[in-house]
Structure formats: C-alpha cells, structure tokens
Amino acid sequence: HPVFQVSFVVQSFGNVGKVSDDQRGYFRSFEGATTYEATKFDLSIFINDSGEDITGQISYATSLFHKDTIVRLIDHYTYLVGQLVEFPRKSYSELSLLTPESYNRLVYEWNDTYRAY
C-alpha cells in the first residue's frame, strides 16, 4: 500500500521575484525532481505558474475516476483560482469551489425533497 495516493505539485521556475508580498503565502515551492511520465498515484496534479499563465497536467487512474469527474475537478479548481485573482484579500472561508450555478443545483435542485403527503 502506498503512503499516499494523491499528489499535488506546484512549480514556479524563475517567478520568485515577480510575486507580491500578498501572494507569497499562497503556495510553497516544490523542491524535488518532477517527471511527466506514467503516474504512480491514483491522482496526480501538476501546476506550473512560472509563465504569464498558470498551466497544469492531471494524471489519474481511469479505473477509479471518470473523465467527467476530472473535468469537474478542473472546473472547480479554475473557478477557485479565478476568485483568488479577483479577490486577493478575501478570506479563504469566503471563497467557494462551486460556481453559483453549481451551488444552486446542489443545494436547491438536487436537494429538493419536499413532497406533499
């Protein structure tokens, strides 16, 4: 059994001087070797913020995850990062992984259990 089954790596090459004081606490730099070969974990996420854009790669066990689940994970992460960029001083507890549409679907549509008896 592996020690852990999920890997999340953030790399930032040459971007050290470009980060504001407010952003320094967001992520810690990865201090190890990284390869993009066959994954050894059930879920591996690599994020690279060294350029103008944040890029990423996700490797996952297709026997455990459906493609649409991974697409939803990417959508949630992208939405969260967008909120961090738009509202950098907002408390993390005020941010959401869910878009307003997803929140309404989960809380109101899928949880609509009212039935007349």
Side-chain angles (χ1 to χ4, degrees), residues 64-105:
L64 297 175
F65 299 100
H66 294 279
K67 182 179 178 181
D68 57 332
T69 302
I70 299 302
V71 169
R72 256 192 332 272
L73 173 68
I74 293 168
D75 291 343
H76 293 320
Y77 183 77
T78 304
Y79 183 68
L80 178 62
V81 170
Q83 290 178 89
L84 288 169
V85 170
E86 190 173 348
F87 309 107
R89 298 206 183 282
K90 214 174 203 185
S91 169
Y92 291 163
S93 64
E94 297 177 81
L95 302 176
S96 176
L97 288 171
L98 300 174
T99 63
E101 296 83 16
S102 295
Y103 179 84
N104 284 332
R105 184 172 47 252

Side-chain angles (χ1 to χ4, degrees), residues 4-10 30 33-35 39-47 57-60 73:
F4 59 92
Q5 296 171 319
V6 175
S7 171
F8 184 87
V9 178
V10 177
F30 176 68
T34 303
T35 60
T39 185
K40 297 177 179 140
F41 307 109
D42 294 342
L43 178 64
S44 297
I45 303 171
F46 299 93
I47 304 295
Q57 176 180 344
I58 295 181
S59 300
Y60 61 96
L73 173 68

Side-chain angles (χ1 to χ4, degrees), residues 10-13 15 19 27 47-55:
V10 177
Q11 301 176 131
S12 184
F13 298 111
N15 208 12
V19 178
F27 299 111
I47 304 295
N48 184 344
D49 67 347
S50 62
E52 290 293 318
D53 297 324
I54 296 175
T55 60

